[in-house]
Amino acid sequence: MKQTIFSGIQATGIPQLGNFLGAIKHWERLSADYNCFYCVVDLHSITVRQDPAKLRQASREMLAWLIALGLDPAKCTLYLQSQVPAHAELSWILNCFTYMGELSRMTQFKSKSAKHEENINVGLFSYPVLQTADIVLFQANLVPIGDDQRQHLELARDVAGRFNAVYGDVFAIPDAYVPPVGARIMSLQAPDKKMSKSDENVNNCVFLSDSPDVVIKKFKRAVTDSLGVVKASPGQPGVTNLLTIYSSVTGKTIAACEAEFEGMGYGHFKTAVGEAVVSMFRPYQEKHAQLMADVPYLDKIIAEGAAKAAAAAAPTLAKVKEAVGFVV
């Protein structure tokens, strides 16, 4: 029996380089060795107010990006979260096994509350419980995460373990899967912060939809330092980030990348990194355009993915309902 992997990505926005190198790039390979569930988490998206038409379009576009980036719906379960009601149903049950103190300590709740002071809603507070439900609904053994998601995975482990302690071995306890290289791609302008598609400074983040000219300009403007040496070290976070990107895109080791640019200036180095990213993006952008033009195909994938995910979720949800005493 293959182990199960679950991962999700927000519906809103366009995937950026950090999403791809830190997570999505590895999803295709994992599909060959694991039973994989990849979800566009549109339920999570509404913790922030959304324009309904834009959210529907963004959900379709994100699904198309995932396919364009290499995910094969025939080899994994690829679906929209809101089309599988078991996510929300299990989330309510697990709310009753999660403590207020645990959720109040979530660092992302604190940061998002600061950004959206006008809309600090209950969903924003309790969405880590929905994340827990997302994971344990499919008895996931592994969850691909970056360092910033460790706290949420620990909560999922705690809540699943607490439920099991009361009702027996209902849930598998998930572990983290962290890729060895490129797990945390940093901002181009502020390399002490993670690259984020919600960053207000567009030069910090490279999007999959960026044109070649835009990509090159962003890399040329990337922060380095005054040392003039292409070397990965804690004292050179900007250069280290660019080396990590170049290594992840080309498949070369960090040491090989350092040797390639030895004695060269930062201008040449940054342009080379940008050109490597442009070359990587090109086929993905072409495939995405083709998919968005084929509405019947996307509708078919959405419907089939929802049915497949719902069928996989049903046994766990039934087991949970029986355990807590619901009539099933």
Side-chain angles (χ1 to χ4, degrees):
M1 293 284 292
K2 289 183 177 181
Q3 286 190 306
T4 296
I5 280 181
F6 174 89
S7 195
I9 188 168
Q10 282 277 1
T12 52
I14 297 165
Q16 41 93 349
L17 184 63
N19 298 141
F20 179 67
L21 295 181
I24 303 172
K25 177 182 177 182
H26 304 277
W27 290 3
E28 178 187 11
R29 176 176 54 81
L30 293 174
S31 297
D33 300 319
Y34 297 91
N35 181 28
C36 293
F37 293 83
Y38 297 131
C39 178
V40 176
V41 290
D42 49 352
L43 291 177
H44 286 286
S45 297
I46 64 170
T47 58
V48 177
R49 293 285 179 267
Q50 303 289 341
D51 178 281
K54 290 181 179 178
L55 179 59
R56 277 188 285 272
Q57 178 69 8
S59 297
R60 288 174 172 274
E61 288 196 358
M62 184 59 71
L63 193 79
W65 273 118
L66 294 179
I67 297 171
L69 293 172
L71 297 188
D72 184 348
K75 296 180 180 178
C76 63
T77 303
L78 184 61
Y79 68 104
L80 304 182
Q81 183 187 31
S82 63
Q83 298 209 342
V84 182
H87 281 274
E89 194 169 353
L90 181 57
S91 179
W92 167 250
I93 296 171
L94 294 183
N95 266 313
C96 301
F97 292 84
T98 307
Y99 301 135
M100 294 283 289
E102 290 175 313
L103 295 179
S104 66
R105 290 191 293 272
M106 294 289 109
T107 56
Q108 289 200 18
F109 169 69
K110 296 174 183 177
S111 64
K112 290 185 178 182
S113 295
K115 291 181 180 179
H116 303 282
E117 292 182 349
E118 78 291 348
N119 183 28
I120 304 176
N121 56 71
V122 174
L124 189 63
F125 182 72
S126 66
Y127 81 91
V129 184
L130 178 56
Q131 285 186 320
T132 296
D134 297 339
I135 295 166
V136 301
L137 185 59
F138 300 105
Q139 304 291 348
N141 308 105
L142 295 169
V143 182
I145 61 168
D147 289 339
D148 60 318
Q149 288 292 327
R150 286 188 180 278
Q151 191 182 34
H152 288 157
L153 181 61
E154 285 306 312
L155 178 70
R157 289 172 55 85
D158 290 344
V159 173
R162 186 175 300 139
F163 191 96
N164 286 354
V166 177
Y167 298 111
D169 293 331
V170 176
F171 297 123
I173 305 299
D175 288 317
Y177 173 85
V178 181
V181 177
R184 192 170 173 84
I185 302 300
M186 312 305 285
S187 161
L188 296 184
Q189 296 290 314
D192 60 327
K193 299 178 181 178
K194 189 184 74 165
M195 184 178 285
S196 171
K197 61 186 178 183
S198 61
D199 200 309
E200 293 180 1
N201 184 348
V202 295
N203 290 316
N204 281 340
C205 186
V206 182
F207 295 95
L208 267 292
S209 60
D210 282 346
S211 69
D213 286 347
V214 169
V215 172
I216 297 297
K217 286 180 182 178
K218 287 182 177 181
F219 277 101
K220 284 184 176 180
R221 294 169 180 166
V223 168
T224 48
D225 51 56
S226 60
L227 298 180
V229 179
V230 180
K231 191 76 174 177
S233 71
Q236 294 180 272
V239 173
T240 300
N241 186 43
L242 293 176
L243 279 168
T244 300
I245 293 171
Y246 191 71
S247 170
S248 298
V249 170
T250 63
K252 299 175 183 178
T253 65
I254 294 292
C257 296
E258 290 173 336
E260 181 178 344
F261 296 104
E262 185 176 1
M264 297 183 184
Y266 286 158
H268 177 83
F269 171 51
K270 291 192 285 187
T271 298
V273 178
E275 289 174 346
V277 171
V278 167
S279 295
M280 181 183 70
F281 278 3
R282 186 173 293 110
Y284 300 140
Q285 292 172 340
E286 292 173 353
K287 179 65 174 178
H288 182 262
Q290 293 172 3
L291 289 166
M292 289 304 297
D294 193 346
V295 175
Y297 173 76
L298 274 184
D299 286 346
K300 175 174 175 288
I301 293 301
I302 289 171
E304 290 178 351
K308 190 176 176 182
T316 295
L317 187 60
K319 194 174 182 179
V320 170
K321 285 182 171 181
E322 184 175 10
V324 299
F326 296 157
V327 176
V328 294

